[in-house]
Amino acid sequence: VNIGTAFHPLSYTLSCEALPETIELIQDFEMPTVCTSIRVSRDGQFILAAGTYKPRVRCYDTYQLSLKFERCLESDVVTFDILSEDYSKLVFLHIDRYVEFHSQHGHYYKTRIPKFGRDFSYHYPSCDLYFVGASSEVFRLNLEQGRFLNSLQTDAAEINVCDINPVHQLFAAGTLEGRVDCWDPRVRSRVAVLDCALSSLPSVSALKFNGSLGMAVGTSTGQVLVYDLRSSRPLLVKDHYYGLPIKSLHFHDQLDLVLSADSKIIKMWNKDNGKVFSSIEPQANINDVCLYPGSGMLFTANEDPKMNTFYIPALGPAPHWCSFLDNLTEELEENPESTIYDDYKFVTRKDLENLGLTHLIGSPLLRAYMHGFFMDIRLYHKVKTMANPFAYEEYRKDRIRQKIEESRTQRVQLKKLPKVNKELAMKLMEESELPTRKKKKKGNVVDNLLSDDRFKVMFENPDYQVDERSEEFRLLNPIVSKVGEKRRQKLSQLVQQEEQQQDEEEEEVEGRGSSEEEESSDDDDKSWVEEVREQRRLIRAEERENRQQEPQRHSQPRFYQIKAGEEFRSFGDVARKQKMQKTSLEERLQREESSGRLNLNDTAVGSKQLTFTLKKAKLLSRRTPTQTLRWTSPVRGVFYCCTKWKSWIR
């Protein structure tokens, strides 16, 4: 139920926006796509709606507040009517000229009328159905005899709508030329013609009787004319000011109101003076309106799956099957909303000092409210313009700046590459642009690698630059050279675009996408093999060049660096040290033991005890000259204890 405030202070409409939770009055009160017509049975228990797609009719039980049944149809429904007190007798007029009858169990009978129909009415005393449409004739189908009767001939080219007076059974038909033809069913003759064109030639789009003498006519240009059958002049003309055809007309006898609806708005106004009582403007276009009898509730069929339900307490009480809505309206009345000043500007005392209006405090031009005052918005704009004449220029500059910033977002977004490993970054960006299925397989590692702070050093520090000329890179990535060539060309284009953007910041950058086509997988395999062979050939050629240049390098003088704390003896000593570093631990221990600087003894449980003497005691004056190194058997593992760094090394 839509709960909210209406436009008139004397009435209010329940709208879902005003309550914290949405009230679903009837479960699944909707259509798959669009609802075209909606009706309420005369006993008030069932609500029937016809819609599409697929064409269907749904019946809702108000006692159960849920869907009772649903029946699918063969074609769309133009309009339908309920002939019985409940849903047991239904008549559907289809767009393909078929008239379909339904009983309580379902489809009962189908027949066809000569012309495409637009509306029909049922005459209860004679059991006749009157069909009007794209013809000058009014077709009559008698349901008691089960046959068509003689048609009623009119002077109109086409007939749009029709209705039967519930008191004296006068039949009226609204024509395309803007006239209303009235017929007496007892003598089958036209008794009167009412011209509603008003010299503008609008067609009649809606027609509704009220009592025995009242009638309302809706035109295709958005006017509603209220007539007394005893006069050919309208008593009142009400304009919707939308220029849209009137689709539905209803009378509310308790308050003497007329409910007229076009595709945009539902207006409620007094039938005597035309004073607006309230109006409702749904979000979707309106196809049909149905007023629940004896209450303030109405239903709308919209160009939307959801069928709206509006409850206006000022029109009448809630139906007995949803009487709890009256309690909600009482709660809304107990919490009235605060007054909102739409045409006033709230200013503080400091604002008045800036505008030079402190002398107005206490005058009728300022209304004290909380910590400030309310003043007329027109006076505020006028005084502010006089106090700051350049405010409009500043506002204009701000708007221009905002427009420029919005236009910059529509430019070609250039890829900003890092200073280090540009080709690797471009490769990661290309992989990040892959389809979502391929991205899910990789686990979004690419995006994390570019955005993660732990890997930013790889794109900032030059020491992490990938050397593509190394032998390992060339052998492990033989196809990289071919793909890398394309990437280098793209990289050069991006660098040029970045330089152009820096030089011309305020000019629009027009990017040009590359249209290179990808090669097939067979060509890639062949090129991969050729690239591997080419890389191996180049590596062998480089090795031969290095061998030829090696004698030249030996002939040149060699330089050695003496570290701090070392004593230089001879060049042979340096070579001997380098040779000792390449030998294994076992050979070094044997040489130390043979020189007498190492003593190796066996201990219990298969362990070894090693005692050695440091060669340079001057550099390690703070440490003991003799240190012990123990290790266990090879089966249990080898552990070295080095007291020089006071740490365990395994």
Side-chain angles (χ1 to χ4, degrees), residues 437-500:
R437 293 183 179 177
K438 296 183 179 179
K439 270 189 177 181
K440 291 181 180 179
K441 293 181 179 179
K442 295 190 176 184
N444 295 333
V445 179
V446 176
D447 297 338
N448 297 334
L449 187 63
L450 291 174
S451 60
D452 199 339
D453 294 338
R454 298 176 296 175
F455 302 100
K456 66 179 181 180
V457 184
M458 186 169 61
F459 301 101
E460 296 177 356
N461 194 346
D463 295 338
Y464 290 89
Q465 180 66 41
V466 177
D467 187 9
E468 298 183 359
R469 298 181 180 180
S470 62
E471 180 179 348
E472 293 81 3
F473 183 86
R474 291 161 63 182
L475 291 178
L476 292 176
N477 301 273
I479 198 65
V480 162
S481 60
K482 185 173 182 180
V483 180
E485 186 66 26
K486 299 179 181 179
R487 194 173 289 118
R488 290 190 194 96
Q489 295 177 1
K490 191 174 182 180
L491 178 61
S492 61
Q493 294 178 0
L494 292 176
V495 172
Q496 293 177 1
Q497 291 178 356
E498 289 180 358
E499 293 176 356
Q500 184 179 1

